[in-house]
Amino acid sequence: NVGDEFRFQLAHKTVQVQKDFSTGLPKKKEDGSDRKQLRLIGISITGTATVKSGKGDEAKENAIMLGQKVAVYVTAHRWGAFIDAQKKLGKPLETGDVVSIKFTGTQKATRAGAQDKKIWAFAIKKPSTEDELARCAECDALFREIEAQNAEQEEDDESEDAATVPIDDYDPFAEE
């Protein structure tokens, strides 16, 4: 809903390749290169936003709860608002920083059949309240947990019988 917002404290950030939900394959730009997105993982603080779970008739809105682990994907038109917020912060985003995201409205689609573009506002600040400063330890712990999982995944990917293929080496059109 317009005006919905939530805040979270950053635990981890990664740049990753966007995937097409219907095929599972990497999304491509017009020049053939992979589309990238920034994945922010954090611990929720406050807000009025909800998240959808399930599909079709089974879909339902769930409130984002205090202390819940959340993932936010900064893609496409959200980049500009995010970069502006980071410039105002004056430094790169760090573990523990407080990120606020607000849904401010929509912009009419310019292509026939396309959905209206959702407009988001971002604000980023250093932790300053007693609760935010205390939560930094939780963010650090979550960061270490995610890094350990990533390292474990990399080890699995490098083993002889790994079932996954690094995304940079994947060519869906190569002959088997």
Side-chain angles (χ1 to χ4, degrees):
N1 298 320
V2 173
D4 279 351
E5 73 178 302
F6 80 101
R7 294 183 321 130
F8 66 95
Q9 276 186 261
L10 181 70
H12 197 268
K13 63 180 179 179
T14 52
V15 175
Q16 57 186 199
V17 174
Q18 285 184 1
K19 290 190 178 181
D20 184 305
F21 286 120
S22 60
T23 65
L25 297 174
K27 280 189 172 182
K28 300 289 184 182
K29 296 181 187 177
E30 287 182 17
D31 67 3
S33 63
D34 292 333
R35 282 190 182 181
K36 305 283 185 179
Q37 63 186 2
L38 179 62
R39 180 178 182 218
L40 306 174
I41 298 176
I43 299 170
S44 66
I45 301 173
T46 60
T48 56
T50 58
V51 291
K52 287 185 182 176
S53 63
K55 294 181 180 180
D57 293 338
E58 301 295 315
K60 57 183 174 178
E61 299 279 331
N62 299 300
I64 298 171
M65 306 303 291
L66 175 66
Q68 181 177 345
K69 181 176 151 183
V70 294
V72 174
Y73 296 86
V74 181
T75 61
H77 58 277
R78 293 186 197 127
W79 275 113
F82 178 80
I83 289 169
D84 289 346
Q86 192 165 322
K87 284 179 183 176
K88 285 181 186 174
L89 182 63
K91 65 166 193 64
L93 201 56
E94 296 176 341
T95 299
D97 285 348
V98 179
V99 180
S100 299
I101 304 170
K102 184 175 186 175
F103 177 47
T104 60
T106 58
Q107 183 178 19
K108 283 286 183 203
T110 56
R111 293 179 304 169
Q115 292 183 0
D116 290 346
K117 180 168 81 170
K118 293 181 179 179
I119 309 298
W120 302 89
F122 285 83
I124 306 169
K125 71 178 192 79
K126 298 288 293 167
S128 58
T129 69
E130 195 173 307
D131 286 346
E132 291 168 353
L133 292 167
R135 197 172 292 106
C136 285
E138 288 179 62
C139 292
D140 287 337
L142 182 54
F143 175 87
R144 288 189 302 276
E145 177 186 325
I146 292 167
E147 286 294 300
Q149 289 171 353
N150 289 347
E152 190 175 293
Q153 182 64 44
E154 285 177 18
E155 285 177 18
D156 289 347
D157 290 348
E158 291 173 6
S159 70
E160 289 181 340
D161 48 357
T164 58
V165 177
I167 200 75
D168 293 337
D169 298 337
Y170 179 69
D171 180 359
F173 303 106
E175 303 234 357
E176 298 275 320

PDB file of all heavy atoms in Angstrom, residues 146-171:
ATOM      1  N   ILE A 146      26.061 -16.084   7.449  1.00  0.00           N
ATOM      2  CA  ILE A 146      25.884 -16.067   5.990  1.00  0.00           C
ATOM      3  C   ILE A 146      27.221 -16.318   5.293  1.00  0.00           C
ATOM      4  O   ILE A 146      27.290 -17.085   4.329  1.00  0.00           O
ATOM      5  CB  ILE A 146      25.245 -14.737   5.536  1.00  0.00           C
ATOM      6  CG1 ILE A 146      23.805 -14.660   6.045  1.00  0.00           C
ATOM      7  CG2 ILE A 146      25.288 -14.603   4.016  1.00  0.00           C
ATOM      8  CD1 ILE A 146      23.180 -13.286   5.937  1.00  0.00           C
ATOM      9  N   GLU A 147      28.294 -15.695   5.783  1.00  0.00           N
ATOM     10  CA  GLU A 147      29.610 -15.913   5.182  1.00  0.00           C
ATOM     11  C   GLU A 147      30.031 -17.377   5.303  1.00  0.00           C
ATOM     12  O   GLU A 147      30.602 -17.943   4.369  1.00  0.00           O
ATOM     13  CB  GLU A 147      30.660 -15.005   5.836  1.00  0.00           C
ATOM     14  CG  GLU A 147      30.546 -13.556   5.412  1.00  0.00           C
ATOM     15  CD  GLU A 147      30.866 -13.350   3.940  1.00  0.00           C
ATOM     16  OE1 GLU A 147      31.987 -13.669   3.519  1.00  0.00           O
ATOM     17  OE2 GLU A 147      29.978 -12.857   3.208  1.00  0.00           O
ATOM     18  N   ALA A 148      29.735 -18.013   6.436  1.00  0.00           N
ATOM     19  CA  ALA A 148      30.067 -19.432   6.623  1.00  0.00           C
ATOM     20  C   ALA A 148      29.266 -20.294   5.651  1.00  0.00           C
ATOM     21  O   ALA A 148      29.795 -21.236   5.050  1.00  0.00           O
ATOM     22  CB  ALA A 148      29.801 -19.853   8.068  1.00  0.00           C
ATOM     23  N   GLN A 149      27.981 -19.979   5.467  1.00  0.00           N
ATOM     24  CA  GLN A 149      27.150 -20.720   4.508  1.00  0.00           C
ATOM     25  C   GLN A 149      27.678 -20.543   3.088  1.00  0.00           C
ATOM     26  O   GLN A 149      27.737 -21.496   2.315  1.00  0.00           O
ATOM     27  CB  GLN A 149      25.696 -20.246   4.577  1.00  0.00           C
ATOM     28  CG  GLN A 149      24.970 -20.663   5.824  1.00  0.00           C
ATOM     29  CD  GLN A 149      23.607 -19.986   5.966  1.00  0.00           C
ATOM     30  OE1 GLN A 149      23.245 -19.108   5.190  1.00  0.00           O
ATOM     31  NE2 GLN A 149      22.863 -20.385   6.975  1.00  0.00           N
ATOM     32  N   ASN A 150      28.090 -19.314   2.741  1.00  0.00           N
ATOM     33  CA  ASN A 150      28.635 -19.053   1.409  1.00  0.00           C
ATOM     34  C   ASN A 150      29.918 -19.839   1.188  1.00  0.00           C
ATOM     35  O   ASN A 150      30.132 -20.395   0.107  1.00  0.00           O
ATOM     36  CB  ASN A 150      28.883 -17.561   1.205  1.00  0.00           C
ATOM     37  CG  ASN A 150      27.594 -16.767   1.082  1.00  0.00           C
ATOM     38  OD1 ASN A 150      26.519 -17.327   0.908  1.00  0.00           O
ATOM     39  ND2 ASN A 150      27.711 -15.459   1.192  1.00  0.00           N
ATOM     40  N   ALA A 151      30.791 -19.881   2.205  1.00  0.00           N
ATOM     41  CA  ALA A 151      32.048 -20.615   2.080  1.00  0.00           C
ATOM     42  C   ALA A 151      31.780 -22.110   1.913  1.00  0.00           C
ATOM     43  O   ALA A 151      32.422 -22.781   1.103  1.00  0.00           O
ATOM     44  CB  ALA A 151      32.924 -20.371   3.307  1.00  0.00           C
ATOM     45  N   GLU A 152      30.809 -22.615   2.667  1.00  0.00           N
ATOM     46  CA  GLU A 152      30.434 -24.029   2.558  1.00  0.00           C
ATOM     47  C   GLU A 152      29.894 -24.333   1.163  1.00  0.00           C
ATOM     48  O   GLU A 152      30.227 -25.350   0.562  1.00  0.00           O
ATOM     49  CB  GLU A 152      29.383 -24.352   3.620  1.00  0.00           C
ATOM     50  CG  GLU A 152      29.080 -25.811   3.772  1.00  0.00           C
ATOM     51  CD  GLU A 152      28.119 -26.048   4.927  1.00  0.00           C
ATOM     52  OE1 GLU A 152      28.506 -25.815   6.081  1.00  0.00           O
ATOM     53  OE2 GLU A 152      26.968 -26.458   4.648  1.00  0.00           O
ATOM     54  N   GLN A 153      29.081 -23.431   0.637  1.00  0.00           N
ATOM     55  CA  GLN A 153      28.522 -23.610  -0.707  1.00  0.00           C
ATOM     56  C   GLN A 153      29.625 -23.607  -1.753  1.00  0.00           C
ATOM     57  O   GLN A 153      29.610 -24.402  -2.676  1.00  0.00           O
ATOM     58  CB  GLN A 153      27.495 -22.522  -1.021  1.00  0.00           C
ATOM     59  CG  GLN A 153      26.840 -22.662  -2.381  1.00  0.00           C
ATOM     60  CD  GLN A 153      26.019 -23.931  -2.520  1.00  0.00           C
ATOM     61  OE1 GLN A 153      25.283 -24.289  -1.630  1.00  0.00           O
ATOM     62  NE2 GLN A 153      26.174 -24.621  -3.627  1.00  0.00           N
ATOM     63  N   GLU A 154      30.599 -22.704  -1.599  1.00  0.00           N
ATOM     64  CA  GLU A 154      31.717 -22.655  -2.538  1.00  0.00           C
ATOM     65  C   GLU A 154      32.511 -23.959  -2.508  1.00  0.00           C
ATOM     66  O   GLU A 154      32.927 -24.460  -3.542  1.00  0.00           O
ATOM     67  CB  GLU A 154      32.634 -21.471  -2.215  1.00  0.00           C
ATOM     68  CG  GLU A 154      32.055 -20.142  -2.642  1.00  0.00           C
ATOM     69  CD  GLU A 154      32.925 -18.966  -2.252  1.00  0.00           C
ATOM     70  OE1 GLU A 154      34.129 -19.162  -1.951  1.00  0.00           O
ATOM     71  OE2 GLU A 154      32.400 -17.841  -2.242  1.00  0.00           O
ATOM     72  N   GLU A 155      32.707 -24.532  -1.306  1.00  0.00           N
ATOM     73  CA  GLU A 155      33.406 -25.811  -1.204  1.00  0.00           C
ATOM     74  C   GLU A 155      32.628 -26.901  -1.925  1.00  0.00           C
ATOM     75  O   GLU A 155      33.203 -27.711  -2.642  1.00  0.00           O
ATOM     76  CB  GLU A 155      33.605 -26.199   0.262  1.00  0.00           C
ATOM     77  CG  GLU A 155      34.680 -25.417   0.964  1.00  0.00           C
ATOM     78  CD  GLU A 155      34.791 -25.787   2.435  1.00  0.00           C
ATOM     79  OE1 GLU A 155      34.293 -26.856   2.838  1.00  0.00           O
ATOM     80  OE2 GLU A 155      35.387 -24.989   3.187  1.00  0.00           O
ATOM     81  N   ASP A 156      31.303 -26.912  -1.736  1.00  0.00           N
ATOM     82  CA  ASP A 156      30.464 -27.903  -2.410  1.00  0.00           C
ATOM     83  C   ASP A 156      30.546 -27.737  -3.921  1.00  0.00           C
ATOM     84  O   ASP A 156      30.625 -28.709  -4.661  1.00  0.00           O
ATOM     85  CB  ASP A 156      28.997 -27.783  -1.973  1.00  0.00           C
ATOM     86  CG  ASP A 156      28.778 -28.266  -0.541  1.00  0.00           C
ATOM     87  OD1 ASP A 156      29.679 -28.917   0.020  1.00  0.00           O
ATOM     88  OD2 ASP A 156      27.700 -27.958   0.004  1.00  0.00           O
ATOM     89  N   ASP A 157      30.548 -26.488  -4.389  1.00  0.00           N
ATOM     90  CA  ASP A 157      30.606 -26.208  -5.818  1.00  0.00           C
ATOM     91  C   ASP A 157      31.929 -26.655  -6.431  1.00  0.00           C
ATOM     92  O   ASP A 157      31.993 -27.017  -7.593  1.00  0.00           O
ATOM     93  CB  ASP A 157      30.405 -24.715  -6.099  1.00  0.00           C
ATOM     94  CG  ASP A 157      28.982 -24.256  -5.838  1.00  0.00           C
ATOM     95  OD1 ASP A 157      28.098 -25.124  -5.670  1.00  0.00           O
ATOM     96  OD2 ASP A 157      28.761 -23.031  -5.791  1.00  0.00           O
ATOM     97  N   GLU A 158      32.988 -26.627  -5.635  1.00  0.00           N
ATOM     98  CA  GLU A 158      34.310 -26.985  -6.141  1.00  0.00           C
ATOM     99  C   GLU A 158      34.585 -28.485  -6.080  1.00  0.00           C
ATOM    100  O   GLU A 158      35.549 -28.957  -6.670  1.00  0.00           O
ATOM    101  CB  GLU A 158      35.383 -26.231  -5.359  1.00  0.00           C
ATOM    102  CG  GLU A 158      35.367 -24.733  -5.657  1.00  0.00           C
ATOM    103  CD  GLU A 158      36.308 -23.951  -4.759  1.00  0.00           C
ATOM    104  OE1 GLU A 158      37.067 -24.567  -3.986  1.00  0.00           O
ATOM    105  OE2 GLU A 158      36.276 -22.712  -4.834  1.00  0.00           O
ATOM    106  N   SER A 159      33.755 -29.248  -5.376  1.00  0.00           N
ATOM    107  CA  SER A 159      33.988 -30.682  -5.286  1.00  0.00           C
ATOM    108  C   SER A 159      33.724 -31.339  -6.637  1.00  0.00           C
ATOM    109  O   SER A 159      33.000 -30.808  -7.479  1.00  0.00           O
ATOM    110  CB  SER A 159      33.107 -31.306  -4.201  1.00  0.00           C
ATOM    111  OG  SER A 159      31.758 -31.291  -4.598  1.00  0.00           O
ATOM    112  N   GLU A 160      34.310 -32.509  -6.840  1.00  0.00           N
ATOM    113  CA  GLU A 160      34.213 -33.185  -8.137  1.00  0.00           C
ATOM    114  C   GLU A 160      32.786 -33.497  -8.542  1.00  0.00           C
ATOM    115  O   GLU A 160      32.431 -33.421  -9.703  1.00  0.00           O
ATOM    116  CB  GLU A 160      35.002 -34.489  -8.097  1.00  0.00           C
ATOM    117  CG  GLU A 160      36.482 -34.274  -8.064  1.00  0.00           C
ATOM    118  CD  GLU A 160      37.219 -35.598  -8.052  1.00  0.00           C
ATOM    119  OE1 GLU A 160      36.613 -36.620  -7.698  1.00  0.00           O
ATOM    120  OE2 GLU A 160      38.391 -35.586  -8.411  1.00  0.00           O
ATOM    121  N   ASP A 161      31.968 -33.874  -7.586  1.00  0.00           N
ATOM    122  CA  ASP A 161      30.607 -34.275  -7.927  1.00  0.00           C
ATOM    123  C   ASP A 161      29.584 -33.185  -7.612  1.00  0.00           C
ATOM    124  O   ASP A 161      28.434 -33.475  -7.338  1.00  0.00           O
ATOM    125  CB  ASP A 161      30.235 -35.592  -7.241  1.00  0.00           C
ATOM    126  CG  ASP A 161      30.586 -35.609  -5.768  1.00  0.00           C
ATOM    127  OD1 ASP A 161      31.164 -34.626  -5.281  1.00  0.00           O
ATOM    128  OD2 ASP A 161      30.290 -36.611  -5.119  1.00  0.00           O
ATOM    129  N   ALA A 162      30.000 -31.938  -7.673  1.00  0.00           N
ATOM    130  CA  ALA A 162      29.056 -30.844  -7.436  1.00  0.00           C
ATOM    131  C   ALA A 162      28.017 -30.807  -8.552  1.00  0.00           C
ATOM    132  O   ALA A 162      28.346 -30.951  -9.722  1.00  0.00           O
ATOM    133  CB  ALA A 162      29.796 -29.499  -7.371  1.00  0.00           C
ATOM    134  N   ALA A 163      26.769 -30.624  -8.180  1.00  0.00           N
ATOM    135  CA  ALA A 163      25.676 -30.632  -9.159  1.00  0.00           C
ATOM    136  C   ALA A 163      25.410 -29.249  -9.738  1.00  0.00           C
ATOM    137  O   ALA A 163      24.682 -29.123 -10.698  1.00  0.00           O
ATOM    138  CB  ALA A 163      24.414 -31.166  -8.502  1.00  0.00           C
ATOM    139  N   THR A 164      25.994 -28.208  -9.159  1.00  0.00           N
ATOM    140  CA  THR A 164      25.729 -26.857  -9.640  1.00  0.00           C
ATOM    141  C   THR A 164      26.846 -26.384 -10.548  1.00  0.00           C
ATOM    142  O   THR A 164      27.974 -26.851 -10.467  1.00  0.00           O
ATOM    143  CB  THR A 164      25.580 -25.869  -8.466  1.00  0.00           C
ATOM    144  OG1 THR A 164      26.781 -25.904  -7.704  1.00  0.00           O
ATOM    145  CG2 THR A 164      24.398 -26.223  -7.594  1.00  0.00           C
ATOM    146  N   VAL A 165      26.523 -25.449 -11.401  1.00  0.00           N
ATOM    147  CA  VAL A 165      27.494 -24.867 -12.326  1.00  0.00           C
ATOM    148  C   VAL A 165      27.605 -23.390 -11.990  1.00  0.00           C
ATOM    149  O   VAL A 165      26.588 -22.713 -11.845  1.00  0.00           O
ATOM    150  CB  VAL A 165      27.012 -25.033 -13.788  1.00  0.00           C
ATOM    151  CG1 VAL A 165      27.962 -24.363 -14.752  1.00  0.00           C
ATOM    152  CG2 VAL A 165      26.821 -26.492 -14.112  1.00  0.00           C
ATOM    153  N   PRO A 166      28.840 -22.868 -11.835  1.00  0.00           N
ATOM    154  CA  PRO A 166      28.956 -21.425 -11.587  1.00  0.00           C
ATOM    155  C   PRO A 166      28.224 -20.644 -12.667  1.00  0.00           C
ATOM    156  O   PRO A 166      28.315 -20.988 -13.845  1.00  0.00           O
ATOM    157  CB  PRO A 166      30.464 -21.179 -11.644  1.00  0.00           C
ATOM    158  CG  PRO A 166      31.076 -22.508 -11.363  1.00  0.00           C
ATOM    159  CD  PRO A 166      30.115 -23.525 -11.925  1.00  0.00           C
ATOM    160  N   ILE A 167      27.506 -19.610 -12.273  1.00  0.00           N
ATOM    161  CA  ILE A 167      26.648 -18.877 -13.194  1.00  0.00           C
ATOM    162  C   ILE A 167      27.444 -18.290 -14.354  1.00  0.00           C
ATOM    163  O   ILE A 167      26.960 -18.233 -15.480  1.00  0.00           O
ATOM    164  CB  ILE A 167      25.837 -17.795 -12.440  1.00  0.00           C
ATOM    165  CG1 ILE A 167      24.624 -17.367 -13.246  1.00  0.00           C
ATOM    166  CG2 ILE A 167      26.670 -16.613 -12.062  1.00  0.00           C
ATOM    167  CD1 ILE A 167      23.524 -18.336 -13.253  1.00  0.00           C
ATOM    168  N   ASP A 168      28.703 -17.877 -14.134  1.00  0.00           N
ATOM    169  CA  ASP A 168      29.500 -17.288 -15.207  1.00  0.00           C
ATOM    170  C   ASP A 168      29.855 -18.311 -16.277  1.00  0.00           C
ATOM    171  O   ASP A 168      30.167 -17.953 -17.402  1.00  0.00           O
ATOM    172  CB  ASP A 168      30.790 -16.676 -14.653  1.00  0.00           C
ATOM    173  CG  ASP A 168      30.493 -15.470 -13.774  1.00  0.00           C
ATOM    174  OD1 ASP A 168      29.410 -14.863 -13.936  1.00  0.00           O
ATOM    175  OD2 ASP A 168      31.331 -15.132 -12.930  1.00  0.00           O
ATOM    176  N   ASP A 169      29.843 -19.608 -15.924  1.00  0.00           N
ATOM    177  CA  ASP A 169      30.201 -20.664 -16.870  1.00  0.00           C
ATOM    178  C   ASP A 169      28.974 -21.308 -17.525  1.00  0.00           C
ATOM    179  O   ASP A 169      29.120 -22.170 -18.369  1.00  0.00           O
ATOM    180  CB  ASP A 169      30.997 -21.770 -16.164  1.00  0.00           C
ATOM    181  CG  ASP A 169      32.307 -21.242 -15.604  1.00  0.00           C
ATOM    182  OD1 ASP A 169      32.795 -20.215 -16.113  1.00  0.00           O
ATOM    183  OD2 ASP A 169      32.824 -21.849 -14.663  1.00  0.00           O
ATOM    184  N   TYR A 170      27.792 -20.902 -17.123  1.00  0.00           N
ATOM    185  CA  TYR A 170      26.582 -21.549 -17.613  1.00  0.00           C
ATOM    186  C   TYR A 170      26.166 -20.975 -18.957  1.00  0.00           C
ATOM    187  O   TYR A 170      26.049 -19.766 -19.115  1.00  0.00           O
ATOM    188  CB  TYR A 170      25.450 -21.364 -16.603  1.00  0.00           C
ATOM    189  CG  TYR A 170      24.167 -21.989 -17.053  1.00  0.00           C
ATOM    190  CD1 TYR A 170      24.041 -23.367 -17.135  1.00  0.00           C
ATOM    191  CD2 TYR A 170      23.092 -21.204 -17.438  1.00  0.00           C
ATOM    192  CE1 TYR A 170      22.865 -23.952 -17.560  1.00  0.00           C
ATOM    193  CE2 TYR A 170      21.913 -21.779 -17.862  1.00  0.00           C
ATOM    194  CZ  TYR A 170      21.809 -23.149 -17.919  1.00  0.00           C
ATOM    195  OH  TYR A 170      20.645 -23.728 -18.349  1.00  0.00           O
ATOM    196  N   ASP A 171      25.962 -21.843 -19.932  1.00  0.00           N
ATOM    197  CA  ASP A 171      25.499 -21.424 -21.247  1.00  0.00           C
ATOM    198  C   ASP A 171      24.296 -22.282 -21.613  1.00  0.00           C
ATOM    199  O   ASP A 171      24.439 -23.462 -21.942  1.00  0.00           O
ATOM    200  CB  ASP A 171      26.595 -21.589 -22.296  1.00  0.00           C
ATOM    201  CG  ASP A 171      26.137 -21.147 -23.685  1.00  0.00           C
ATOM    202  OD1 ASP A 171      24.961 -20.739 -23.837  1.00  0.00           O
ATOM    203  OD2 ASP A 171      26.952 -21.223 -24.614  1.00  0.00           O
TER     204      ASP A 171
END
